[in-house]
Amino acid sequence: MSFMKKNNRCFLSITVALMTGGLFSACLDIPSPPKDTAKITSVNVFAKQFDKAIETPIKLNSSEEAELIAEVTPSKHKKDVQYYWYNGEEILDSGATYTVPTSYMASSFISQNFIPDRLVIEDHEGNTLETSFHVTVNNPPQLLAETTPADGDTLYGNSYTPILFTWQSFDRDENNYLNNTLEIDSIRYNVGDLQEVMQSGFTEGRHTFRIFVEDSMGDQDSSATQEFFVIDTLGLGAKWQSIL
């Protein structure tokens, strides 16, 4: 083999080696693919109403606007994701908060269709995380101001004379059971769904009463303390005191 051929073969071997090494070096210099691991590990929803946080179960008072708020962990990534609020399969809005105006709580139909029950978050890499929740809208019970006896009434009789107590409690929610409690002279009597009670045994002088009502969701209303005065027209109270 001539000297020239040997040199050509040697040159070719060196060239192939250099190319192979170059490719290997180039492979070593390729940057790693971007991380696609989700940064958010969990997502939760709570509500805020009357400047108070409401966690699970979420129960809203229909008389005041509320907010549903998304809470992610770790919180430092809360601005790195998009928030999507759903009712069933229909998207209602986006953003970290969802406002629930009183008009959305005006009827059960509106509540069921315009209040979210699912939140989906998505990061820049396309990772998603979702949570389902339930929002209950409850109309608190109410008591009318008028009662019997009326505040400040003077009643005539004795300890045997029955006194009629009446009031009116109601609730706008359908099929919501109301439990009433009558407080007389700081003693409470659970009277269930009654709104009219006869009671005797009152001595002459000043007495107080108050009404409490609670619905099946635990919301309550109460009247202000009322007072009435009993005058013993027959003088039986003084008679029994002289005997004793």
Side-chain angles (χ1 to χ4, degrees), residues 124-148:
H124 300 304
E125 286 78 26
N127 301 297
T128 61
L129 191 63
E130 69 175 80
T131 184
S132 297
F133 54 92
H134 179 71
V135 176
T136 300
V137 176
N138 187 56
N139 295 293
Q142 291 181 282
L143 283 164
L144 296 183
E146 295 78 12
T147 62
T148 303

Side-chain angles (χ1 to χ4, degrees), residues 143 167 169 179-183 188 191-192 210-214 220-223:
L143 283 164
W167 63 93
S169 59
N179 186 69
N180 296 271
T181 299
L182 172 62
E183 180 185 275
R188 296 190 178 187
V191 296
R210 193 177 179 188
I211 310 297
F212 299 85
V213 60
E214 181 175 349
Q220 302 174 344
D221 191 21
S222 61
S223 68

Side-chain angles (χ1 to χ4, degrees), residues 175-237:
N175 303 319
N176 201 345
Y177 176 80
L178 296 183
N179 186 69
N180 296 271
T181 299
L182 172 62
E183 180 185 275
I184 301 176
D185 294 335
S186 300
I187 299 175
R188 296 190 178 187
Y189 305 89
N190 189 329
V191 296
D193 59 355
L194 296 178
Q195 299 184 27
E196 181 176 310
V197 173
M198 297 286 290
Q199 181 71 19
S200 60
F202 293 97
T203 59
E204 189 172 48
R206 176 181 177 272
H207 298 273
T208 62
F209 73 98
R210 193 177 179 188
I211 310 297
F212 299 85
V213 60
E214 181 175 349
D215 67 14
S216 55
M217 295 295 296
D219 287 323
Q220 302 174 344
D221 191 21
S222 61
S223 68
T225 299
Q226 313 275 62
E227 66 177 12
F228 63 95
F229 301 88
V230 174
I231 295 179
D232 188 350
T233 54
L234 300 178
L236 293 179

Side-chain angles (χ1 to χ4, degrees), residues 46-55 67 69:
F46 69 96
K48 187 175 182 181
Q49 190 177 45
F50 300 109
D51 294 326
K52 294 182 179 179
I54 306 170
E55 299 181 352
E67 279 188 334
I69 302 173

